[in-house]
Amino acid sequence: MLQTNRYTMKLLIYLVVFVLLFNGCTANNVADSLIQKYCKQSSEYPSAINNPNYYNFCIASLKENPESQKARNIDELIVIGAINAMSNLTNVKRIVEKIIKERKYKSRLSKKLLGDCVKLYSEARDFSKASNNINEAKNGPTLCELEFNGENQQVSPVRKENDVLFTMIDIPYLFNSIAHN
């Protein structure tokens, strides 16, 4: 009888562990399928069509955030995407500040333009403004690049970072468009 109780306990423990593992895998599959679904839908919007890597980047950037595995709907993915974008915006701003501080710019004009970029990033980081319209946050990297590439004919030292940042901001913006259409 004692042996039967031990066997029953072991079986019960194995069953509980199996259920917990299965439940975790199912939750991850739900989040992964949501991410794939909305990354696919958003990749059909004009700003994403121009970026051939958008779909894969969208999936990778959302999965990179562990909170995405808890997402159960598009609104939760929008929040996660916005958090990712704001984090990336902060990192790009730090890179530009470091370039200015270490005097790694090519001319006084470049220094001025980089200072303007820092202001633009700071404005875009005002999440109270950006949360009302995620698209407003795109102004930071877009205007920064425009200042360098316009009549000034300067080369932006953060062009690649701004391209990534633009796409990071585009993800929650496009998800928001899907959610409200």
Side-chain angles (χ1 to χ4, degrees), residues 38 45 74-75 78 174-181:
Y38 292 118
Y45 279 75
I74 193 168
D75 291 326
I78 291 169
L174 295 176
F175 280 24
N176 193 46
S177 297
I178 292 168
H180 295 100
N181 281 338

Side-chain angles (χ1 to χ4, degrees), residues 3-4 13 41 52 66 77 106 144 175 179:
Q3 191 136 328
T4 306
I13 289 170
Q41 285 182 16
L77 288 176
K106 299 196 185 230
C144 178
F175 280 24

Side-chain angles (χ1 to χ4, degrees), residues 115-127:
D116 291 347
C117 289
V118 169
K119 288 177 189 170
L120 290 166
Y121 297 140
S122 295
E123 290 170 7
R125 281 178 57 215
D126 185 352
F127 201 75

Side-chain angles (χ1 to χ4, degrees), residues 28 41-42 65 82-83 88 116 150 155-156:
N28 287 348
Q41 285 182 16
S42 63
N65 186 326
I83 290 168
N88 189 266
D116 291 347
V155 177
S156 170

Side-chain angles (χ1 to χ4, degrees), residues 167-178:
T167 304
M168 292 286 290
I169 295 168
D170 220 16
I171 293 168
Y173 172 70
L174 295 176
F175 280 24
N176 193 46
S177 297
I178 292 168

Side-chain angles (χ1 to χ4, degrees), residues 129-149:
K129 288 181 187 174
S131 64
N132 293 331
N133 185 359
I134 298 168
N135 196 36
E136 287 180 24
K138 287 184 186 181
N139 290 342
T142 303
L143 295 175
C144 178
E145 285 303 311
L146 285 174
E147 283 197 19
F148 273 94
N149 298 325

